[in-house]
Amino acid sequence: MLTPKPPSHSDLCVYIIQSAIKSKDPFIGRCIHARIIKHGLSLGVFLMNNLLNFYAKIGSFSDAHRVFAEMPLKTTFSWNTILSAHAKGGNLEHSCRVFDQIPQPDSVSWTTMIVGYNHLGLFNSAIKMFLNMVSSGISPTQFTFTNVLASCAATHALDVGKKVHSFVVKLGLSGVVPVANSLLNMYAKNGDSVMAKVVFDRMRLRDKSTWNTMISMHMQFGRLDLALALFDQMTDPDIVSWNCVITGYCHQGYDIKALETFSSMLRNSSLKPDRYTLGSVLSACANLESLKLGKQIHAHLVRANVDITGAVVNALISMYAKSGAVEIARRTVELTGASSLNVIAFTSLLDGYVKTGDINPAREIFDSLECRDVVAWTAMIVGYAQNGLISDALLLFRSMIREGPKPNNYTLAAVLSMFSNLASLDHGKQLHATAIRLEEVSSVSVVNALITMYSRSGSIKDARKVFKQICFNRNTLTWSSMIIALAQHGLGNEAIELFEKMLKMNLKPDHITYVGVLSACTHVGLVEQGKSYFNLMKNVHNIEVTSSHYACMIDLFGRAGLLEEAYNFIRNMPIEPDGIAWGALLSSCRVHKNVELANVAAEKLLLIDPNNSGAYSALANTLSACGKWDAAAKVRKSMKDRAVKKEQGFSWVQIQNKVHIFGVEDALHPQRDAIYHMISKIWKEIKKMGFIPDTDAVLHDIELEVKERILRHHSEKLAIAFALLNTPEYTTLRIMKNLRVCNDCHSAIKYISMLVGREIIVRDATRFHHFKGGSCSCHDYW
C-alpha cells in the first residue's frame, strides 16, 4: 500500500493563502508571505500567483504590483490578476497599459476591461471593447454578456444590444438565467417591451429578478394590469417585487394605490419595508399632501432606527414641504445637512417657501448646497419669478452664466417665459443670442418659448422667423404656439391657414392647438368656420372639450353679436359653466349693450365669484352705455358696500430697460408736464384730421368737456406721449395695457399712428393691436 506524499511547504503556504483570501484576513496572508521570504522557500509560479491574487483581493494594489514585478515567469492568470486589480481600483490608464502588454489576452482579460469601464460609467467604451473582443476571435463568456448588456441598457444602445442577443443565441447561452435576465433588462431599459416579453416567454427557468424586471417594465410603461397579473403569479414576492409595484404606482400618479399596496404588504407579508419602500411611500404622501400619514411614516423610521440618509431624507423633506409644514422640512435639512439635499427635495422646499411668500430661506439653502446642478439653479430662478422677484431672478441667471453650470433648455425656456410676461423684447433678443451660443436654440421648449416671447413682446415678425428657421424640429406644441401667436395678433386667417397646413402634414392637433384655432376664428368673426372646427375637434380628433374650448365658442358667438346663440350654447353645455364662460358672455353684452343678458351673466358670475370686480364693472358699464344711470349707480354702490375693489386700468412702456407705468390722469411721473403738453398737442392735431372723441366711452353722467379731458388722459395715450418724447423717430412703439383698450383710445391711436408716421403696437388684456398708417390689424373687430 502506497503512503500518500506529505504536502510540501509550498503547497501548505498556498492552502493557507487561499484560506486567507476566503476569510478576507490580511494578517494571516501577510504572515505567510513573510515566512516564505524568511525561510527562502521556492517561489514557483503557482505560489506567486496565489500571493498576487491575495494582495489584489484585499485591495493592497502596491503589494500586488510588487509581487507581479518580481515574478520571473508570468502566466495569463498573473496578467489577468494584476489587470483586475488596476481595473477595480479605477486606474484606467494602468489597466489599458497592462492589457496592451498581455501576450495573449483571453476572454477573462477582455471581460475584465469591460467590467472596469462599466464601473467607471464609461459604458460606450465597454461596448467598444466588446466589439473589439469579438473581432479578435475571442468567445465571450456569460459574465462578458451580462456586463456588456448592462452597458447597452445604460446607454440605450438597442441596436448593439440586439447584436449581443444574436451572439448569446449563437453560443447557446440564452437559457442561462443571469444572461437572460440581462437581456430582459436591456430590452426593458430601451423601451422594447415586445422583445422583453419574447425573452421572458422563452425562459424555462426564472428567478425573482426575472419577474421583478418585467413588473417594473410594465409599471414604467403604464401597463398596470399586466404588472399586477405578474405580481399575483409570484409565489413568494420579495421586497424588490413590492417596491416595483409601489414605486410604479407613484411614478404613474396613482399615489393612493401606492399607499394601499404598502398597507397590503404590511398586512399580508412578513417582509419589512426597506429604505426604497419608505422613500416611495413618503413620495406618495408628498404628492397627496398627506401630512398626518407622512408623520406616521416618519415615526416608524425613528422607531425602527432606519438610516434616513440619501433618498429617504429627501422624500421626507419633500413630504413636509409639499404638505404645508415647510418649517419642519427646514429643520430636517438642518439636522441632516444641506449637502444631502437633492434637487427634488430642494424644489419642494422652494415651492413651499414660494407659497408662504418668503423665498429668502430657500435662497439660504440654495447657497449652502454643495452640488448646485442646473436643475437647482433653474428651480431657484423660477422660484424668484413665481414670487414676482424678477430682478432677483435675472441677477441669479446672470450669475449662473458667469459661474454656474451651463443653462439647459429648461432654464432658457423659464427665463424666456419671464421676458414674455414682461414683454421685454430687448432682454428676449439677448437671451435668444445666448440660446444660439449655447446651442440650445433647436430645443422644442426653447423654440416654443421664443415664439411666445416674441409674440407677447409684440414682434410677430420675429416669432414667424423663429418658426420658419426651426422647421426640422417642429412638433404639435410648436405649431400650436405659432397658431396662438397669430391669433393674438389678429392674424386669424394666417392662423387658420397654418392649422390647415398642419392637418395636411398629418401632425395631430391637441387641445391647445384647438384653443388657438378657435381663438383665431373668434378674433376675425369666422363663426361658421369656428363651429366646424369645434365639431372636428370632438368628432374626428376625439379631443375632450375643456372649459377653455367652451369659452372660445361663447366668445365667438358673443363678439359676432349672436348673444342668444351664445346664451343657448352655455345652457346646453354638458359641464357646469365656469366664471370664464359667463365672463365671456358678459363682456359681449357690454359691447353690444344687451342689458337683460348682462344681468343674467353677471348674476351667474357673482354666484361663482362674489368678489369679481370685473362682473360689477361690466354690468355697470353696460347699464351706463344704455343710459340707465340710476341702475348703474346702484351696481357701483353695491360693489362699494361689499368692499369689492375695482381693478384699476394702467399702461406701461419699456424705454432703455426701464419700465414706466401710467394710470388714468397720472400726475406722478417726473416728465408729467412734458407728457401732458405732448398729448394736448396730439389731441388738437388728430381732431383736425377728423378724429371725433367717443364721449360715450366715459360711462359716467358728467359734463361733455370733463368727459373729453378724461379720455385725453387715458393711460395708453399718456404712455404713447411719453414714448414719443423718449424714442428716436420712426421706431416702433410698444405699449402694454392690463385691461381691454376702449373704443376712444382705439380710434385715437389709429389717427396718432398716421400723424407721427410710426407703428404703434398695443397689447391689451386679450390681444395685440398693430396700428399703422391710420388703420389697425384687428380691422375694428375686437
Side-chain angles (χ1 to χ4, degrees):
M1 184 175 177
L2 294 172
T3 306
K5 186 180 178 182
S8 66
H9 287 295
S10 179
D11 291 339
L12 187 60
C13 288
V14 167
Y15 174 77
I16 297 171
I17 289 168
Q18 288 177 349
S19 298
I21 293 171
K22 289 177 184 177
S23 63
K24 297 178 182 179
D25 189 336
F27 179 74
I28 294 176
R30 288 183 189 278
C31 286
I32 292 298
H33 190 182
R35 187 178 181 84
I36 290 169
I37 295 169
K38 182 178 178 180
H39 292 282
L41 295 177
S42 174
L43 291 171
V45 174
F46 186 59
L47 177 58
M48 292 201 76
N49 275 343
N50 275 275
L51 271 173
L52 180 63
N53 190 35
F54 162 71
Y55 283 120
K57 288 287 171 63
I58 67 170
S60 183
F61 302 131
S62 58
D63 288 322
H65 206 277
R66 196 176 298 114
V67 170
F68 180 77
E70 292 172 357
M71 291 178 73
L73 180 64
K74 299 177 178 71
T75 64
T76 304
F77 179 85
S78 314
W79 286 100
N80 287 342
T81 302
I82 197 68
L83 176 66
S84 178
H86 286 305
K88 287 179 180 177
N91 196 329
L92 184 60
E93 187 179 343
H94 279 91
S95 298
C96 292
R97 195 178 301 134
V98 169
F99 181 81
D100 291 338
Q101 292 175 13
I102 300 176
Q104 289 183 314
D106 61 5
S107 61
V108 176
S109 315
W110 287 92
T111 304
T112 300
M113 287 299 294
I114 293 168
V115 172
Y117 281 126
N118 266 0
H119 284 171
L120 291 172
L122 302 170
F123 303 112
N124 287 318
S125 297
I127 292 170
K128 187 177 178 181
M129 201 75 192
F130 172 79
L131 296 175
N132 289 339
M133 175 184 182
V134 174
S135 300
S136 300
I138 305 297
S139 291
T141 65
Q142 68 177 64
F143 193 52
T144 318
F145 283 125
T146 56
N147 277 276
V148 76
L149 286 167
S151 299
C152 294
T155 55
H156 300 289
L158 182 59
D159 290 342
V160 179
K162 286 181 176 179
K163 290 177 183 176
V164 176
H165 191 174
S166 67
F167 276 112
V168 169
V169 175
K170 184 179 177 181
L171 294 175
L173 294 173
S174 54
V176 178
V177 174
V179 176
N181 282 343
S182 296
L183 279 168
L184 197 61
N185 180 60
M186 185 274 296
Y187 283 119
K189 292 282 176 64
N190 279 284
D192 193 340
S193 58
V194 175
M195 279 305 299
K197 189 174 186 305
V198 169
V199 172
F200 179 78
D201 290 342
R202 288 178 179 174
M203 290 177 70
R204 292 181 180 178
L205 294 174
R206 298 167 182 157
D207 60 11
K208 286 181 182 177
S209 177
T210 314
W211 292 90
N212 292 340
T213 301
M214 287 298 289
I215 292 168
S216 179
M217 181 191 71
H218 285 315
M219 276 292 186
Q220 182 185 343
F221 294 145
R223 303 188 188 104
L224 308 186
D225 52 340
L226 295 177
L228 292 175
L230 289 176
F231 181 75
D232 290 339
Q233 289 177 47
M234 292 185 74
T235 53
D236 185 24
D238 60 8
I239 192 63
V240 177
S241 316
W242 286 95
N243 287 347
C244 286
V245 176
I246 293 168
T247 305
Y249 274 134
C250 285
H251 287 169
Q252 293 298 326
Y254 294 97
D255 298 297
I256 292 175
K257 285 280 188 184
L259 295 177
E260 287 174 351
T261 305
F262 175 64
S263 178
S264 175
M265 173 187 155
L266 295 179
R267 285 195 315 270
N268 304 321
S269 169
S270 60
L271 294 169
K272 290 184 178 180
D274 63 9
R275 298 172 72 253
Y276 299 102
T277 324
L278 296 167
S280 295
V281 171
L282 283 168
S283 294
C285 293
N287 295 333
L288 294 169
E289 298 181 9
S290 177
L291 182 60
K292 184 178 178 181
L293 185 55
K295 282 184 173 181
Q296 290 175 5
I297 303 295
H298 191 179
H300 172 81
L301 290 169
V302 174
R303 283 196 307 271
N305 198 25
V306 175
D307 177 17
I308 64 165
T309 56
V312 178
V313 74
N314 280 287
L316 195 61
I317 292 163
S318 296
M319 182 277 295
Y320 279 123
K322 286 185 177 181
S323 303
V326 69
E327 282 309 313
I328 300 178
R330 173 68 182 270
R331 287 200 297 274
T332 307
V333 173
E334 290 170 351
L335 287 170
T336 57
S339 60
S340 63
L341 199 63
N342 69 12
V343 172
I344 296 171
F346 170 69
T347 306
S348 300
L349 260 176
L350 186 60
D351 289 341
Y353 281 116
V354 167
K355 288 174 184 175
T356 64
D358 182 10
I359 205 167
N360 291 327
R363 179 58 190 267
E364 289 173 13
I365 293 169
F366 173 79
D367 290 338
S368 68
L369 289 174
E370 288 184 7
C371 182
R372 292 183 292 178
D373 64 4
V374 66
V375 182
W377 281 83
T378 304
M380 193 69 233
I381 290 166
V382 171
Y384 273 132
Q386 288 175 341
N387 235 35
L389 302 169
I390 304 300
S391 297
D392 292 294
L394 293 177
L395 281 172
L396 189 60
F397 177 68
R398 292 190 186 108
S399 296
M400 183 181 185
I401 294 289
R402 286 194 310 272
E403 61 195 57
K406 175 184 169 184
N408 63 13
N409 55 330
Y410 297 106
T411 318
L412 295 170
V415 179
L416 280 166
S417 179
M418 281 193 305
F419 294 149
S420 297
N421 295 330
L422 290 172
S424 178
L425 185 60
D426 290 340
H427 280 122
K429 283 185 173 179
Q430 290 172 21
L431 193 56
H432 189 174
T434 302
I436 293 170
R437 193 169 63 252
L438 296 173
E439 298 180 350
E440 291 284 1
V441 76
S442 60
S443 160
V444 171
S445 57
V446 173
V447 168
N448 296 336
L450 280 168
I451 291 170
T452 303
M453 182 277 295
Y454 279 124
S455 169
R456 289 185 179 176
S457 301
S459 183
I460 191 66
K461 178 182 174 183
D462 286 314
R464 275 200 202 98
K465 194 181 295 182
V466 170
F467 181 75
K468 288 176 181 175
Q469 285 176 347
I470 323 284
C471 58
F472 62 87
N473 204 14
R474 297 181 192 171
N475 64 358
T476 297
L477 191 56
T478 309
W479 284 76
S480 301
S481 298
M482 195 64 227
I483 289 167
I484 290 169
L486 291 167
Q488 287 177 333
H489 283 265
L491 303 169
N493 289 317
E494 278 192 50
I496 290 165
E497 284 175 21
L498 194 62
F499 177 71
E500 292 291 346
K501 187 176 180 181
M502 180 182 179
L503 294 180
K504 287 177 183 175
M505 292 177 68
N506 293 322
L507 267 173
K508 187 179 178 182
D510 59 14
H511 66 286
I512 297 171
T513 321
Y514 272 106
V515 169
V517 77
L518 291 174
S519 177
C521 294
T522 296
H523 287 312
V524 289
L526 297 173
V527 176
E528 291 305 316
Q529 199 153 356
K531 287 163 72 174
S532 171
Y533 285 139
F534 185 76
N535 291 326
L536 183 71
M537 176 183 70
K538 287 194 305 178
N539 303 326
V540 176
H541 289 124
N542 299 316
I543 293 171
E544 184 180 350
V545 185
T546 67
S547 56
S548 296
H549 300 123
Y550 287 121
C552 284
M553 292 303 293
I554 296 161
D555 204 19
L556 174 68
F557 294 130
R559 285 174 188 264
L562 304 171
L563 299 179
E564 285 298 328
E565 192 164 349
Y567 182 49
N568 289 332
F569 184 87
I570 288 181
R571 290 196 298 177
N572 292 323
M573 280 168 55
I575 62 172
E576 190 69 26
D578 60 10
I580 298 172
W582 290 112
L585 180 61
L586 180 56
S587 179
S588 298
C589 290
R590 183 189 63 190
V591 173
H592 296 286
K593 300 178 182 179
N594 187 318
V595 174
E596 185 181 345
L597 264 182
N599 272 308
V600 174
E603 184 181 345
K604 296 286 187 181
L605 181 53
L606 290 172
L607 280 173
I608 297 169
D609 183 5
N611 295 316
N612 191 310
S613 62
Y616 287 102
S617 297
L619 180 58
N621 292 345
T622 306
L623 292 166
S624 298
C626 296
K628 299 180 181 293
W629 303 109
D630 292 340
K634 285 180 181 178
V635 172
R636 291 194 176 96
K637 184 178 184 302
S638 175
M639 184 178 180
K640 187 177 180 181
D641 292 343
R642 295 182 184 183
V644 177
K645 291 185 178 180
K646 178 185 175 183
E647 184 180 3
Q648 296 299 312
F650 58 88
S651 300
W652 67 96
V653 61
Q654 185 173 336
I655 307 288
Q656 295 179 345
N657 293 330
K658 187 176 179 182
V659 176
H660 299 262
I661 302 173
F662 299 89
V664 179
E665 302 269 12
D666 200 306
L668 299 175
H669 199 279
Q671 290 181 252
R672 177 191 179 281
D673 293 340
I675 293 167
Y676 274 64
H677 177 73
M678 172 63 84
I679 196 62
S680 182
K681 180 182 173 183
I682 290 171
W683 194 257
K684 289 174 184 176
E685 292 297 325
I686 61 175
K687 284 178 78 174
K688 288 178 186 177
M689 295 167 67
F691 168 68
I692 300 171
D694 181 12
T695 52
D696 288 342
V698 181
L699 302 171
H700 296 278
D701 191 11
I702 53 179
E703 295 294 327
L704 201 63
E705 186 179 336
V706 179
K707 283 187 175 185
E708 191 169 320
R709 191 196 73 214
I710 292 171
L711 290 173
R712 188 165 68 244
H713 296 158
H714 270 192
S715 63
E716 51 265 63
K717 295 189 183 90
L718 296 178
I720 289 170
F722 170 76
L724 288 169
L725 287 167
N726 293 279
T727 55
E729 288 186 25
Y730 307 114
T731 55
T732 300
L733 304 183
R734 302 176 193 278
I735 312 298
M736 309 295 155
K737 184 174 174 64
N738 67 323
L739 301 178
R740 184 181 186 273
V741 65
C742 74
N743 291 337
D744 182 78
C745 284
H746 193 271
S747 178
I749 298 170
K750 287 197 292 184
Y751 279 94
I752 294 171
S753 71
M754 188 162 45
L755 173 69
V756 300
R758 300 218 212 174
E759 182 180 5
I760 303 171
I761 301 173
V762 178
R763 187 183 91 180
D764 70 4
T766 57
R767 62 179 297 166
F768 282 86
H769 299 265
H770 294 252
F771 298 93
K772 192 173 184 179
S775 63
C776 179
S777 58
C778 75
H779 305 293
D780 299 336
Y781 188 91
W782 86 98

